[in-house]
Amino acid sequence: MIREAVTCDRDACAALYLQPDDRPGLDLDELIERAGWVARPALLVRPGRDDQEVTGHTCPACTADRGPVLELGDCPACHGRAVDRLDGAHCLYCRTVTPHGDDEI
């Protein structure tokens, strides 16, 4: 299956959002907003062409000034590295908490 992906536009940030397999029919823009990503308009100037509006993205870690994401891992929001705690996996960057499944307790 081919999935859409979004990357953070901040310099040196490796954050990544992959469209989940289990969310068919939901719009990617809606999914990234739910995950804490910010879409922003930007101007792209090309020689010989008019300014064109494009969309840039900022990951939840950079939005909260806790980025850039330097190590990739299993965080569903930014793919940053997470550490396991009693209540779930905590992302070191965006601080998303992913509860443990019933089989992991």
Side-chain angles (χ1 to χ4, degrees):
M1 171 183 204
I2 297 174
R3 297 187 290 173
E4 292 185 74
V6 175
T7 58
C8 184
D9 292 330
R10 183 173 175 189
D11 288 342
C13 186
L16 174 69
Y17 182 85
L18 291 175
Q19 182 181 27
D21 288 335
D22 61 349
R23 300 274 175 101
L26 288 179
D27 182 47
L28 182 64
D29 292 330
E30 184 179 337
L31 290 171
I32 63 171
E33 184 177 324
R34 286 183 186 180
W37 286 71
V38 175
R40 57 183 168 66
L43 291 177
L44 174 66
V45 180
R46 294 182 185 172
R49 298 181 73 182
D50 293 333
D51 292 350
Q52 296 179 6
E53 199 170 2
V54 297
T55 303
H57 296 92
T58 306
C59 73
C62 289
T63 300
D65 211 21
R66 292 188 293 262
V69 173
L70 301 174
E71 300 172 273
L72 292 180
D74 296 325
C75 175
C78 71
H79 267 74
R81 190 166 71 93
V83 294
D84 284 327
R85 296 192 181 146
L86 290 177
D87 59 340
H90 290 247
C91 179
L92 298 175
Y93 297 98
C94 71
R95 298 192 181 152
T96 296
V97 178
T98 306
H100 295 298
D102 293 336
D103 60 338
E104 296 178 34
I105 297 175

